[in-house]
Short mmCIF file of all heavy atoms in Angstrom, two decimals:
data_model
loop_
_atom_site.label_atom_id
_atom_site.label_comp_id
_atom_site.label_asym_id
_atom_site.label_seq_id
_atom_site.Cartn_x
_atom_site.Cartn_y
_atom_site.Cartn_z
N SER A 211 -65.03 1.97 -58.19
CA SER A 211 -65.91 1.08 -58.89
C SER A 211 -66.15 -0.13 -58.07
O SER A 211 -65.33 -0.96 -57.78
CB SER A 211 -65.25 0.68 -60.22
OG SER A 211 -66.08 -0.09 -61.01
N ASP A 212 -67.43 -0.26 -57.52
CA ASP A 212 -67.74 -1.31 -56.63
C ASP A 212 -68.23 -2.44 -57.48
O ASP A 212 -69.32 -2.50 -58.08
CB ASP A 212 -68.89 -0.78 -55.68
CG ASP A 212 -69.43 -1.84 -54.74
OD1 ASP A 212 -69.17 -3.04 -54.94
OD2 ASP A 212 -70.16 -1.42 -53.77
N GLU A 213 -67.40 -3.46 -57.50
CA GLU A 213 -67.59 -4.63 -58.47
C GLU A 213 -67.73 -5.91 -57.68
O GLU A 213 -67.25 -6.97 -58.19
CB GLU A 213 -66.39 -4.74 -59.46
CG GLU A 213 -66.31 -3.39 -60.26
CD GLU A 213 -65.02 -3.36 -61.15
OE1 GLU A 213 -64.32 -4.33 -61.31
OE2 GLU A 213 -64.83 -2.27 -61.79
N VAL A 214 -68.43 -5.84 -56.53
CA VAL A 214 -68.47 -7.06 -55.70
C VAL A 214 -69.22 -8.15 -56.35
O VAL A 214 -68.97 -9.39 -55.99
CB VAL A 214 -69.01 -6.75 -54.29
CG1 VAL A 214 -68.13 -5.83 -53.52
CG2 VAL A 214 -70.44 -6.23 -54.29
N TYR A 215 -70.12 -7.85 -57.33
CA TYR A 215 -70.80 -9.01 -58.03
C TYR A 215 -70.16 -9.20 -59.41
O TYR A 215 -70.78 -9.81 -60.25
CB TYR A 215 -72.36 -8.60 -58.11
CG TYR A 215 -72.97 -8.36 -56.89
CD1 TYR A 215 -73.18 -7.04 -56.36
CD2 TYR A 215 -73.32 -9.42 -55.96
CE1 TYR A 215 -73.74 -6.80 -55.10
CE2 TYR A 215 -73.92 -9.23 -54.78
CZ TYR A 215 -74.11 -7.85 -54.31
OH TYR A 215 -74.64 -7.62 -53.05
N GLY A 216 -69.06 -8.59 -59.65
CA GLY A 216 -68.41 -8.52 -60.98
C GLY A 216 -68.61 -9.68 -61.88
O GLY A 216 -69.26 -9.43 -62.98
N PRO A 217 -68.19 -10.93 -61.54
CA PRO A 217 -68.35 -11.96 -62.58
C PRO A 217 -69.69 -12.49 -62.78
O PRO A 217 -69.97 -13.30 -63.64
CB PRO A 217 -67.42 -13.10 -62.01
CG PRO A 217 -66.96 -12.61 -60.70
CD PRO A 217 -67.51 -11.34 -60.34
N ILE A 218 -70.63 -12.10 -61.86
CA ILE A 218 -72.03 -12.66 -62.03
C ILE A 218 -72.85 -11.80 -62.90
O ILE A 218 -73.50 -10.83 -62.53
CB ILE A 218 -72.71 -12.71 -60.51
CG1 ILE A 218 -71.70 -13.37 -59.54
CG2 ILE A 218 -73.94 -13.40 -60.60
CD1 ILE A 218 -72.20 -13.32 -58.13
N VAL A 219 -72.71 -12.10 -64.23
CA VAL A 219 -73.48 -11.39 -65.26
C VAL A 219 -74.30 -12.39 -66.08
O VAL A 219 -73.85 -13.56 -66.26
CB VAL A 219 -72.58 -10.58 -66.18
CG1 VAL A 219 -72.26 -9.22 -65.66
CG2 VAL A 219 -71.25 -11.32 -66.49
N HIS A 220 -75.52 -12.02 -66.48
CA HIS A 220 -76.43 -12.96 -67.00
C HIS A 220 -76.62 -12.78 -68.56
O HIS A 220 -76.36 -11.65 -69.06
CB HIS A 220 -77.77 -12.85 -66.34
CG HIS A 220 -77.62 -12.93 -64.85
ND1 HIS A 220 -76.87 -13.95 -64.17
CD2 HIS A 220 -78.04 -12.15 -63.80
CE1 HIS A 220 -76.92 -13.78 -62.92
NE2 HIS A 220 -77.61 -12.64 -62.66
N ASP A 221 -77.13 -13.84 -69.17
CA ASP A 221 -77.56 -13.75 -70.53
C ASP A 221 -76.44 -13.35 -71.54
O ASP A 221 -76.64 -12.61 -72.53
CB ASP A 221 -78.77 -12.80 -70.83
CG ASP A 221 -79.84 -13.08 -69.76
OD1 ASP A 221 -80.23 -14.28 -69.68
OD2 ASP A 221 -80.40 -12.14 -69.08
N GLY A 222 -75.23 -13.79 -71.18
CA GLY A 222 -74.07 -13.56 -72.05
C GLY A 222 -73.52 -12.15 -72.08
O GLY A 222 -72.67 -11.81 -72.98
N ARG A 223 -73.96 -11.33 -71.06
CA ARG A 223 -73.37 -10.01 -71.02
C ARG A 223 -71.87 -10.02 -70.70
O ARG A 223 -71.44 -10.86 -70.01
CB ARG A 223 -74.07 -9.21 -69.91
CG ARG A 223 -75.44 -8.68 -70.34
CD ARG A 223 -76.03 -7.72 -69.32
NE ARG A 223 -77.31 -7.39 -69.77
CZ ARG A 223 -78.35 -8.11 -69.92
NH1 ARG A 223 -78.30 -9.35 -69.45
NH2 ARG A 223 -79.45 -7.70 -70.42
N PRO A 224 -71.20 -8.96 -71.15
CA PRO A 224 -69.74 -8.89 -70.77
C PRO A 224 -69.60 -8.49 -69.33
O PRO A 224 -70.48 -7.78 -68.79
CB PRO A 224 -69.21 -7.87 -71.67
CG PRO A 224 -70.31 -7.00 -72.05
CD PRO A 224 -71.58 -7.86 -72.01
N GLU A 225 -68.53 -8.93 -68.66
CA GLU A 225 -68.25 -8.47 -67.30
C GLU A 225 -67.51 -7.14 -67.44
O GLU A 225 -66.50 -7.11 -68.11
CB GLU A 225 -67.37 -9.54 -66.62
CG GLU A 225 -66.92 -9.12 -65.24
CD GLU A 225 -65.89 -10.07 -64.58
OE1 GLU A 225 -65.82 -11.23 -65.05
OE2 GLU A 225 -65.30 -9.69 -63.58
N ILE A 226 -68.00 -6.11 -66.87
CA ILE A 226 -67.43 -4.76 -67.06
C ILE A 226 -66.61 -4.39 -65.80
O ILE A 226 -67.10 -4.55 -64.68
CB ILE A 226 -68.61 -3.70 -67.20
CG1 ILE A 226 -69.42 -4.04 -68.46
CG2 ILE A 226 -67.99 -2.37 -67.27
CD1 ILE A 226 -68.76 -3.78 -69.85
N SER A 227 -65.37 -3.96 -66.01
CA SER A 227 -64.52 -3.55 -64.86
C SER A 227 -63.77 -2.38 -65.21
O SER A 227 -63.29 -2.14 -66.36
CB SER A 227 -63.60 -4.68 -64.50
OG SER A 227 -62.75 -4.24 -63.53
N LEU A 228 -63.62 -1.48 -64.22
CA LEU A 228 -62.76 -0.35 -64.29
C LEU A 228 -61.34 -0.80 -64.71
O LEU A 228 -60.55 -0.07 -65.43
CB LEU A 228 -62.72 0.35 -62.95
CG LEU A 228 -61.78 1.55 -62.81
CD1 LEU A 228 -62.52 2.72 -62.04
CD2 LEU A 228 -60.56 1.16 -61.98
N ALA A 229 -60.90 -1.97 -64.23
CA ALA A 229 -59.56 -2.52 -64.47
C ALA A 229 -59.32 -2.65 -66.01
O ALA A 229 -58.22 -2.60 -66.51
CB ALA A 229 -59.36 -3.86 -63.79
N ALA A 230 -60.44 -2.81 -66.80
CA ALA A 230 -60.28 -3.01 -68.24
C ALA A 230 -60.34 -1.72 -69.02
O ALA A 230 -60.23 -1.72 -70.21
CB ALA A 230 -61.36 -3.99 -68.72
N CYS A 231 -60.60 -0.67 -68.30
CA CYS A 231 -60.82 0.64 -68.93
C CYS A 231 -59.59 1.56 -68.78
O CYS A 231 -59.34 2.15 -67.75
CB CYS A 231 -62.06 1.33 -68.38
SG CYS A 231 -62.37 2.95 -69.14
N ALA A 232 -58.71 1.59 -69.81
CA ALA A 232 -57.41 2.29 -69.68
C ALA A 232 -57.66 3.77 -69.26
O ALA A 232 -56.88 4.25 -68.52
CB ALA A 232 -56.68 2.18 -71.01
N GLY A 233 -58.71 4.32 -69.79
CA GLY A 233 -58.93 5.73 -69.43
C GLY A 233 -59.39 6.08 -68.07
O GLY A 233 -59.30 7.21 -67.56
#
Side-chain angles (χ1 to χ4, degrees):
S211 184
D212 180 345
E213 302 174 4
V214 298
Y215 304 99
I218 309 174
V219 275
H220 309 311
D221 307 313
R223 280 187 180 72
E225 177 184 345
I226 300 287
S227 173
L228 175 138
C231 179

